[in-house]
Amino acid sequence: NLSSSYFKLGNFEKSWTSMTGIVATDLSADEEKKYYFLHYKIASAVNKNFEALIALARYLKKIPTLENLKTDQSFTALKTGVASLIKADRDRLFQQLSTEKSLVLGYLVYLDYQQLSASKEAAEANKREEMLKNEYAAYPELLALIVPQKELNRENRRIEQRRIGVVLPLTGNQKVY
């Protein structure tokens, strides 16, 4: 409550200081959700972007379906923030949230898997795929996304993008070329 008051008054540093002493697990489900959203807002205001992403992921952890998650505006902010992180920070984010096994975290792992696959980092992409299969098996929506991505990866491996073919005519008016 004190943190919220400081936030409303625009005193973000004091708000952040008072926010760090709160244990969210002691709150009711509704209060916990409000806490994490406030935590996200305050962390963003004091430029603690990594903490803001963790708070936002925890705020979204109760969303039951992938469709609801994709349409949530807060998820768009989370997805953009996670995509802007370097790989080491993404790994640290997944590690810090690993005990929660929520749909939002599983989908973020899937998006990272998709990005790693597109950038031809097969070993890292395989690690993410295994993480999805082992830790997020409770979410069939996520597991269903892996199959088309694996097929796309297989197709992309067969295409050599650095080779260019040229077709020249052997007969006719253009034979001289």
Side-chain angles (χ1 to χ4, degrees):
N1 203 5
L2 181 63
S3 185
S4 177
S5 298
Y6 281 136
F7 181 75
K8 289 176 184 173
L9 292 172
N11 194 339
F12 303 125
E13 289 298 326
K14 278 190 174 182
S15 182
W16 176 254
T17 304
S18 63
M19 174 68 73
T20 56
I22 300 171
V23 179
T25 55
D26 296 341
L27 303 172
S28 68
D30 188 44
E31 289 295 317
E32 184 181 14
K33 188 170 182 172
K34 290 176 185 177
Y35 164 80
Y36 283 126
F37 190 71
L38 181 62
H39 193 132
Y40 161 68
K41 289 289 195 184
I42 294 169
S44 296
V46 294
N47 293 321
K48 304 245 184 233
N49 297 327
F50 190 78
E51 288 81 2
L53 292 174
I54 290 174
L56 195 53
R58 288 180 173 152
Y59 168 73
L60 295 168
K61 73 181 176 183
K62 299 286 185 191
I63 293 180
T65 66
L66 205 51
E67 185 177 320
N68 292 348
L69 183 65
K70 288 179 181 179
T71 58
D72 194 301
Q73 290 181 348
S74 299
F75 180 69
T76 305
L78 177 63
K79 187 169 69 169
T80 304
V82 171
S84 69
L85 294 175
I86 61 172
K87 185 186 172 314
D89 286 340
R90 284 194 311 269
D91 289 343
R92 190 166 55 112
L93 178 83
F94 297 149
Q95 181 63 36
Q96 283 191 359
L97 295 170
S98 66
T99 59
E100 298 181 22
K101 307 291 186 257
S102 62
L103 178 65
V104 66
L105 184 60
Y107 191 60
L108 289 173
V109 170
Y110 168 74
L111 292 175
D112 193 44
Y113 162 67
Q114 202 175 32
Q115 181 183 358
L116 290 168
S117 296
S119 64
K120 306 287 187 196
E121 294 182 44
E124 290 299 318
N126 287 339
K127 286 180 186 176
R128 293 289 188 252
E129 181 183 341
E130 288 303 313
M131 180 188 283
L132 283 167
K133 286 180 180 177
N134 296 334
E135 297 178 21
Y136 298 96
Y139 298 104
E141 290 176 285
L142 291 176
L143 298 179
L145 295 173
I146 295 173
V147 176
Q149 184 63 41
K150 281 182 78 165
E151 190 60 36
L152 181 64
N153 293 348
R154 192 173 297 118
E155 289 295 321
N156 285 341
R157 270 188 251 126
R158 285 194 270 174
I159 299 171
E160 293 186 35
Q161 296 177 358
R162 298 196 185 270
R163 287 197 173 172
I164 300 173
V166 179
V167 178
L168 299 173
L170 298 175
T171 61
N173 294 344
Q174 307 299 325
K175 182 181 177 182
V176 291
Y177 294 109

